[in-house]
Amino acid sequence: MTDFEYYFHQLPCFNCKKTIVSTDLGWLTAAMKDDVIAQIASIIAQDSVDPDLSVNVTCTKDEAREYLLLNFFGYSAEELVSQIEADDEKEVADEIAELLEEGSDVVVFEHEVALQSCTDCDTDETSN
């Protein structure tokens, strides 16, 4: 198994854009996390802070399998070892094969990061 971990990162609130809140990045390798954070920083620097940010995650064939199973099929790291349903395994293999048909040895996925709102903004929203 590749070194995937579930990451969080401190990012601005999507409402006030000032308060920093813990934001779920999902299952990534350390290198993927660094790349995702750099892409998010670039988006934020352009003052393009939307509630849902879309960045790219580049994976090898082996990483792509685990990335899909963890992030899209909802498996845990422990389940990846021996508890993957055959249908899910086949669907992931087919998806990767389709993406690799273009002759590349890497796969690029669109990865969504949902910014969170801070407690002050949550309070303002509920009091209106």
Side-chain angles (χ1 to χ4, degrees):
M1 182 171 144
T2 312
D3 246 354
F4 277 87
E5 290 185 41
Y6 201 86
Y7 287 103
F8 291 89
H9 192 71
Q10 300 297 313
L11 294 170
C13 165
F14 73 84
N15 280 324
C16 69
K17 298 175 181 58
K18 293 178 182 125
T19 304
I20 302 299
V21 294
S22 182
T23 304
D24 176 350
L25 298 181
W27 287 97
L28 303 167
T29 65
M32 289 174 192
K33 177 191 132 217
D34 292 343
D35 189 39
V36 164
I37 291 169
Q39 290 178 63
I40 291 171
S42 176
I43 292 168
I44 290 171
Q46 297 170 21
D47 210 20
S48 302
V49 182
D50 292 320
D52 294 311
L53 302 177
S54 181
V55 295
N56 291 325
V57 171
T58 303
C59 303
T60 64
K61 182 179 178 180
D62 290 338
E63 289 172 337
R65 175 187 171 274
E66 293 175 16
Y67 174 84
L68 288 171
L69 290 169
L70 291 165
N71 287 297
F72 292 100
F73 285 82
Y75 283 91
S76 68
E78 295 79 25
E79 291 172 326
L80 285 186
V81 178
S82 63
Q83 299 175 6
I84 300 168
E85 293 180 24
D87 289 347
D88 292 345
E89 189 74 66
K90 180 177 178 354
E91 190 173 338
V92 166
D94 290 348
E95 174 80 15
I96 293 168
E98 183 179 312
L99 292 169
L100 289 174
E101 279 180 1
E102 295 142 18
S104 176
D105 58 348
V106 296
V107 179
V108 178
F109 295 106
E110 187 174 299
H111 187 78
E112 299 290 325
V113 175
L115 295 180
Q116 304 300 303
S117 63
C118 64
T119 52
D120 289 341
C121 289
D122 282 343
T123 303
D124 291 344
E125 285 179 12
T126 57
S127 64
N128 289 339

